Amino acid sequence: QGVHKPHSSYESGSQTFSYTGGIQTLTIPSGVSTITIKAWGAQGGSGGYWSNSSYCGTGGKGGYSTGELSVTPGNTVYVYVGGQGESYSSCQTRMNGISQAGGWNGGGIGQNYISGGGGGGATDIRYGGTGISNRVIVAGGGGGHGNAGNSTQLSNGGAGGGTSGQTMANSTQYSNRTPGTGATQSSGNSDGAGSEGIQNLTGGGGGGYYGGGAGANSTGGGGGSGYIGGVSSAETIAGNATMPDPDDGTMTGRAGNGLVIISW
């Protein structure tokens, strides 16, 4: 005689949320008390070069956060999928005097004179309301690129996510150029928005639990931090490390816009 398997009180399911530039929602189905969240933050803006260099900066990649959230059937989950920071059309496109917009949901603006790339937006889930205090999980966005000659370590944006967003290393070649500071669990911009660039060729900071700092004098922005304080069985990974690929397997950081997968 076969072993009797208990009948589930609800049908399992999954929903994927891609970037739309606005708030998306999920109503918790009947019988569901726990959902599993997988969230990827957005990349910072990339591309473009300064007149004396063919080097092209790359925006920091978005981070990853996952965890389980206790929920009540009929309640609403609010989904914020971050947008990639504005980029130049190619590496051969000369950086111009037009601000490069930060990605939706907290990406900082690239500086408006020979502008660097915009910071990537954070991806987060909110429960119980739509205020930032209702965030239960955050995947940080990457910093936008700057352009400091041919220095990769200064021009690229810092990766977002993890407990601390990435700060690109300083260089002894340029003592007056300091890349944007990655946010932590308690430092950076407390509203979750990346800083706006205020000097030439600088990238905006990435959005996150705390927002990353903008680059100074031709450097890339810092990544925004991730957050898993509102969920259980949780993990957060920065965009310069190996993380799950939503299309299968693994990858190093999230390129382009963010993404959310919720299952139950």
Side-chain angles (χ1 to χ4, degrees), residues 4-57:
H4 175 72
K5 296 181 179 180
H7 175 72
S8 175
S9 60
Y10 65 90
E11 294 291 331
S12 61
S14 178
Q15 188 165 341
T16 298
F17 298 86
S18 299
Y19 170 72
T20 65
I23 304 170
Q24 302 173 69
T25 61
L26 171 69
T27 301
I28 302 300
S30 176
V32 174
S33 59
T34 303
I35 59 174
T36 298
I37 301 165
K38 297 178 180 180
W40 291 263
Q43 184 179 14
S46 300
Y49 69 98
W50 175 225
S51 61
N52 62 355
S53 170
S54 61
Y55 180 73
C56 183

Side-chain angles (χ1 to χ4, degrees), residues 27-173:
T27 301
I28 302 300
S30 176
V32 174
S33 59
T34 303
I35 59 174
T36 298
I37 301 165
K38 297 178 180 180
W40 291 263
Q43 184 179 14
S46 300
Y49 69 98
W50 175 225
S51 61
N52 62 355
S53 170
S54 61
Y55 180 73
C56 183
T58 301
K61 291 185 178 180
Y64 172 76
S65 294
T66 185
E68 297 180 352
L69 176 66
S70 296
V71 292
T72 300
N75 282 1
T76 300
V77 172
Y78 300 93
V79 181
Y80 293 65
V81 179
Q84 182 178 6
E86 187 174 9
S87 302
Y88 290 89
S89 59
S90 73
C91 185
Q92 287 71 40
T93 303
R94 187 184 185 283
M95 298 169 78
N96 55 41
I98 301 172
S99 295
Q100 300 296 99
W104 187 79
N105 203 30
I109 299 171
Q111 201 277 334
N112 67 356
Y113 174 67
I114 315 177
S115 177
T123 293
D124 70 73
I125 299 297
R126 307 183 192 195
Y127 188 63
T130 58
I132 62 171
S133 63
N134 297 112
R135 296 178 298 176
V136 295
I137 188 169
V138 180
H145 84 284
N147 198 291
N150 290 314
S151 176
T152 300
Q153 68 188 118
L154 290 174
S155 297
N156 292 343
T163 55
S164 296
Q166 183 185 23
T167 303
M168 299 302 289
N170 287 319
S171 171
T172 56
Q173 181 182 3

Side-chain angles (χ1 to χ4, degrees), residues 154-261:
L154 290 174
S155 297
N156 292 343
T163 55
S164 296
Q166 183 185 23
T167 303
M168 299 302 289
N170 287 319
S171 171
T172 56
Q173 181 182 3
Y174 300 105
S175 60
N176 65 335
R177 296 177 179 176
T178 305
T181 302
T184 71
Q185 298 298 289
S186 59
S187 68
N189 298 323
S190 60
D191 61 357
S195 295
E196 177 181 347
I198 58 174
Q199 291 182 306
N200 294 344
L201 296 88
T202 58
Y209 181 55
Y210 278 73
N217 192 5
S218 308
T219 60
S225 57
Y227 174 70
I228 50 175
V231 292
S232 60
S233 302
E235 181 180 22
T236 183
I237 301 173
N240 59 345
T242 301
M243 62 181 62
D245 185 333
D247 296 322
D248 199 19
T250 60
M251 61 186 184
T252 302
R254 172 72 180 181
N257 297 319
L259 189 75
V260 168
I261 300 174

